[in-house]
Amino acid sequence: MKSHKIFNDPVYGFIQVPYGTLFDLVEHPFFQRLRRIKQLSLTHYVYPGALHTRFHHALGALHLMRQTIATLRAKDIYISPEESEAVQIAILLHDIGHGPFSHTLEHTLIKVHHEELSLLFMEKLNEEFNGELALAIEIFKGSYHKPFLAQLVSSQLDMDRMDYLNRDSYFTGVSEGVIGYHRIIKMLTVHEGELVVEEKGIYSIERFLTARRLMYWQVYLHKTVLAAELMLIKIMERAKELIRTGHKLPAPSVLSYFLENRNLSSADFHAKRDELLQVFSRLDDTDIAAAVKEWQDNPDPTLSFLARGLANRRLFRLEFSYEPFVEEYVESIRKKVNETPGLPPSASEQLVIEGKETNTAYSASHDEIRILMKSGKVMPMSELSDSTVSPRMFTKYYLCYPKI
Amino acid sequence: MKSHKIFNDPVYGFIQVPYGTLFDLVEHPFFQRLRRIKQLSLTHYVYPGALHTRFHHALGALHLMRQTIATLRAKDIYISPEESEAVQIAILLHDIGHGPFSHTLEHTLIKVHHEELSLLFMEKLNEEFNGELALAIEIFKGSYHKPFLAQLVSSQLDMDRMDYLNRDSYFTGVSEGVIGYHRIIKMLTVHEGELVVEEKGIYSIERFLTARRLMYWQVYLHKTVLAAELMLIKIMERAKELIRTGHKLPAPSVLSYFLENRNLSSADFHAKRDELLQVFSRLDDTDIAAAVKEWQDNPDPTLSFLARGLANRRLFRLEFSYEPFVEEYVESIRKKVNETPGLPPSASEQLVIEGKETNTAYSASHDEIRILMKSGKVMPMSELSDSTVSPRMFTKYYLCYPKI
Amino acid sequence: MKSHKIFNDPVYGFIQVPYGTLFDLVEHPFFQRLRRIKQLSLTHYVYPGALHTRFHHALGALHLMRQTIATLRAKDIYISPEESEAVQIAILLHDIGHGPFSHTLEHTLIKVHHEELSLLFMEKLNEEFNGELALAIEIFKGSYHKPFLAQLVSSQLDMDRMDYLNRDSYFTGVSEGVIGYHRIIKMLTVHEGELVVEEKGIYSIERFLTARRLMYWQVYLHKTVLAAELMLIKIMERAKELIRTGHKLPAPSVLSYFLENRNLSSADFHAKRDELLQVFSRLDDTDIAAAVKEWQDNPDPTLSFLARGLANRRLFRLEFSYEPFVEEYVESIRKKVNETPGLPPSASEQLVIEGKETNTAYSASHDEIRILMKSGKVMPMSELSDSTVSPRMFTKYYLCYPKI
Amino acid sequence: MKSHKIFNDPVYGFIQVPYGTLFDLVEHPFFQRLRRIKQLSLTHYVYPGALHTRFHHALGALHLMRQTIATLRAKDIYISPEESEAVQIAILLHDIGHGPFSHTLEHTLIKVHHEELSLLFMEKLNEEFNGELALAIEIFKGSYHKPFLAQLVSSQLDMDRMDYLNRDSYFTGVSEGVIGYHRIIKMLTVHEGELVVEEKGIYSIERFLTARRLMYWQVYLHKTVLAAELMLIKIMERAKELIRTGHKLPAPSVLSYFLENRNLSSADFHAKRDELLQVFSRLDDTDIAAAVKEWQDNPDPTLSFLARGLANRRLFRLEFSYEPFVEEYVESIRKKVNETPGLPPSASEQLVIEGKETNTAYSASHDEIRILMKSGKVMPMSELSDSTVSPRMFTKYYLCYPKI
């Protein structure tokens, strides 16, 4: 009798999922749905290989968690069988609350943070699985008495970050994100209940932090990707507005549900949990993509302009600046947009987008990576490295508008 | 002034596309649409990384073509600038006629082979581009007077095969498909107008053929993949049947078009080329995926059974056999299916599927790879190798049915 | 307390060696000496990266053995802790008897096969380690009652072959040798005490066999490598002859020992085991390389001609032929060599070398890889595959001589 | 007629060397000798794969140079055919003056810096090649009127550094050193005659600098490697001292030459260039390795103690400290060493070694990497990055002594 199912993964070779609760969770429609949610939203418009999904990422993070548990146990750190399974469940489901296009549409379709939704899904699943997820939920919420278990799920050095850097590098082909995860995992240990890194691992940690920071600017906040994502947000906002004002828009029924029931809040999700989770779990990237294509011919000029642009990759221009944009400059752009033939005279309200992004790859202020020195002392990473691991905060302003 | 656009590609690092006709073709909505057509249909149900698209593959094949042209020219084989661009266009567009889910639905939605559609698209584009694709079309059709150019686009050793083996290996993680494409390209040359391989390349060619054959059984004809694809075909057939008999089915409008206008033929596409290409070019994987999800609650029990199974990955069982299945055995399966609660008494007509697959990775009969011996003689690969490169034909029968 | 030492390995990432007997064996001077014996002799003259050593290979084979043991145990195949350690020791030491330049000089310096020397070293170490190698020796000799353990050490599908294909591919850069070792190991199991492969592993096995066969011709029997190795053999033979006839040759003392005590046989090694092993264990590639350089100015024209050629990579020409060479042709070469200014009139006796090589990558005759079919039957690989895995024997004749 | 020779390289796939002067230089015994000089000295004691040579590195740097030339020319930067060949020659020969074990023995055997020797070799070769290296020498010396050519050979971002990071990563398996060299090369350009990097390349440059800095501590200054290298230096110093005081030491004759003619200086090399280069060019790693083994039984207890330790990898302990070591502590170590049975009472003079190492990976003070901003302005890297690329100087003190 085989004890586990094997998944193929080009990043790690093979991923083993033990039969039992873990495998049953993978098989659940709530989890299978993650197959239709891309990890990196519209990044594939710049890195065409970046089509990998939350499903694959969750399995990858599980794989790293299993390696880490084995490593810690080999260092005589006690993790009971129940804790081991629970922390695996927690990492497997940590992103289960993500909606279509992940972060891009996070606050556009509904007003609930994905982590809160993940917790709601876990609680619903806990009922279906007769309480077998109780300990996982405790760890996920950070209320379990062994903090290192929660830190493996969510911290500056968790399995989530470690997998996504590997995986995003692999599928984008940006070697800058490759991290020595083997080496990092081997250096992890536990000190007074907290996750720490052995001293000789500091260079690998530095590399990990550099990789993460660079991936931010090179991939996650790539200006063309950001332009595409802003267009998608504008499309959804416009669609909601059109429906609010009585227009009809063809769309898959689950998407229509959220366009019509605007701004569902955390309170709504707690009040009607089962119904809303059911509908939400039917919604994914394919509905959005199909709708955007459908709306290319919509009579509303703003919606169709945006939809045609996104579907055929006629993307907006996006300018970055270290300073806020000068009002006169923005005004001149708005004017040009408003005067564009075929667009309504107030088009710039929808189509000229200002904002800012901050590189928050690593912040020293709280939740710092801790190093266990050979002397036995624990030091925060930022006080150790000969590089500066906590770079000064860094904000870029952007201005995004049609190429006209 | 930059002379070419660079695309990121994890397989080859960077892909250069020269500005001008080639880049303009890449930008065309007909080509951008390939971003939404996966190279390997439903293979990602078994290899979760296999989400790469026809778009990426076409760029990859272009990249190899450019390397090959440079290699041949370095061997003093004359290729004019016009021929060079034309053969690049031909490989770039060789798959532009693929519809959603590529081969899977090839004869289900419309009755036209994808190569014929590719040619129709090229002819349409040739008009838009004022005849700049004329030579590419000639090469694509095999009517140009230098056969080696057509062979680079389509033969046992073309850039299409070379890219897809590399790419499918990379994204599935099946190392069995990795080929030494650098080495193979370096060994290509032209002899009496035909593409040949230098003698010292025979081991690389053998490896290429082995890789291709093994990828067939390990990936392309993987039984779980095949089961999923058969389910998708059955879903579409059922949807067409329901519409034919007067039912209404929610679906994106472009999909509805092809469900309602059943069995559009080659003649139809020639008669109403522009209109049909326009609609067809709006159709892709996302429409199918969104529709399948929508149909999970359809009142037709066969359709909803199939749709729920595919959407949630409750796949049919598929058995392979080297012999045709015994009729009694098939009958016993049919009986069980027909008696399944919730399914109609004739469910087995839709849900029990028989067929066969043949490993056609390499056939010695025609179009053989030719080796240029040091002696100056050209020999077909099959007469040379100390392995058998033309394995006996190999057929596997399959029987596919719900796990009940 | 750490339980194992970690070695860095670019092929597998990290290799763990448990503290205790295994680690102590690695630390032993007999084993450390393998750091100075290249795995692939003079192959680096063609593949400059191929400088990896028997030391690294032995660790790599150990690593695969540990993975295999874990896999088999996960399939409920009982392997006791003692057996596990013994089979690891056996694979670690399987090549410890190799002398400088491995196979190249195997019968030139002494007349004992390297496997016999490995056994002598193991017996000597067994005394030093108070009998802790007894079971390993039994397995190595094939006399232990569980044949699959010996088969993991030495068979058509042993850890030796699996590591060297991976490793030789990595360091030569010849991707043709890459095998899916992860997949193969996962498919291994035991049936009636013998090592077998699960049916679904046959494509990986085929790939493994193809890889091995192609590596033979592309790397192991590359004609330039062969030419260099023949030159080295001729140098050593000439040196021995000069010493036999009373000349003095400067050389490291351990090399002088074997040049003076010519043709030490198996019987000699058994008679004076400790002394001979002691001297032999001091001899490695560096002595040979230093001596060859030293002999470039030797008054003997044949020796200095060969030494200068090898040191400065002025290699002989080597011709391959599927037929024996015609005597007239060989004679004409000999004549030219004998008439070369600066060479003695009988130079061709040393400098024109004839021989043949046979591709023995896989032979179906005995010791075949066995497949465990889903039906429970065991079949030899050659009766199964749709390829021909046991290619007809293949001999190439060679003629090697100075480029003059 | 082939226009270039192809070398196999696992790092870049294939390396092309044009026939003519470049290929003839590769064939020259001066260059072939680099096949016997390891790039990383004794690093293979910690990273067993790190056996790659200066020969391979020089070819790799040539390969990158050729890619860079092509990239620059594609940006309309004029490089004449003569300049192109000269800068290729300069990079090919930049390390030709390295002696055995490269930097380790750089000032132990002779008192001349390797760059000065490289220049002497180039001048000697220039005579043999009838002046064909004149322009290469001018570039190498930095006196040519286009500074960017010299900067490609030697600067903070030269082809030397770019190749060795790639290559050292590949052969050690330390992924921390992998750099996106493709991307960096694509970002290089020339501004007012100087090598600069396009603005959008800054993240790749940061990554390059981080990689380099981390490789310093993780590989180049690894404490076990440093311990081994210090032992080798001590062995050579002891050998020279023994010979100076009239002892006889067996050694290959070229090594004896430099042990006897102690402290040959720059002036000596200029005075007797041809003779000294001839002898020096015969000396390499194999002579040192063979001698060390030979000296294991030397009657001098210090020499044999060191030689046995190095040959059998019984390495000294090395402690790092951010502060100088306290004198009392060092004294206590010395005492223990002096009292060790079998060692002379003053053994600590040879065997207790103090020193310091500084991480000089990148210094902002001079020769900074320059970024060409989109605005057209050129800025030094250190004023740009949101990281600190010019970390504060960083010194580690070490104390190295036998494990007793």
Side-chain angles (χ1 to χ4, degrees), chain A residues 304-362:
Chain A
S304 60
F305 180 82
L306 283 161
R308 280 198 308 274
L310 192 62
N312 301 309
R313 205 184 176 284
R314 301 282 175 272
L315 302 182
F316 282 16
R317 167 165 297 122
L318 188 140
E319 297 180 50
F320 269 129
S321 165
Y322 295 105
E323 315 276 308
F325 287 88
V326 177
E327 185 50 35
E328 286 72 31
Y329 180 63
V330 180
E331 198 47 52
S332 73
I333 302 279
R334 282 205 196 97
K335 193 154 173 292
K336 273 207 282 186
V337 169
N338 289 338
E339 291 168 357
T340 302
L343 288 180
S346 63
S348 70
E349 285 167 32
Q350 320 295 330
L351 304 183
V352 177
I353 313 158
E354 282 186 279
K356 62 182 176 181
E357 285 287 352
T358 304
N359 176 352
T360 53
Y362 183 77

Side-chain angles (χ1 to χ4, degrees), chain A residues 170 253 282 287 293-294, chain B residues 170 253 282 287 293-294 311:
Chain A
Y170 189 89
S253 59
R282 284 280 184 95
D287 303 294
K293 282 200 303 156
E294 194 85 48
Chain B
Y170 188 88
S253 60
R282 284 279 183 96
D287 304 294
K293 281 201 304 156
E294 195 84 49

Side-chain angles (χ1 to χ4, degrees), chain C residues 8 10 27 29 32 35-36 44 47-49 51 56 170 252-253 282 284 287 293-294 297 311-314, chain D residues 8 10 27 29 32 35-36 44 47-49 51 56 170 252-253 282 284 287 293-294 297 311-314:
Chain C
N8 292 284
E27 289 278 273
Q32 287 293 320
R35 286 182 181 275
R36 293 182 295 269
H44 63 94
Y47 297 97
L51 294 159
H56 216 171
Y170 188 89
S253 59
R282 285 279 183 97
D284 55 50
D287 303 293
K293 282 200 304 155
E294 195 84 51
D297 302 322
N312 300 308
R313 205 185 176 284
R314 302 280 176 272
Chain D
N8 292 285
E27 289 278 274
Q32 287 293 321
R35 287 182 180 274
R36 292 182 296 270
H44 63 93
Y47 298 97
L51 294 159
H56 215 169
Y170 188 89
S253 58
R282 285 280 183 97
D284 55 49
D287 303 294
K293 282 200 304 154
E294 194 84 49
D297 302 321
N312 301 307
R313 207 186 176 284
R314 301 280 176 272

Side-chain angles (χ1 to χ4, degrees), chain D residues 52 65 70 82 102 135 143 148 165 214 216 225 228 238 273 282 309-310 312 332 350 382:
Chain D
H52 54 299
M65 184 65 85
E82 293 72 26
S102 300
L135 185 51
S143 53
F148 79 89
L165 285 176
L214 302 192
Y216 260 86
V225 173
R238 186 67 186 165
R273 191 193 67 178
R282 285 280 183 97
L310 193 61
N312 301 307
S332 73
Q350 320 295 328
S382 61

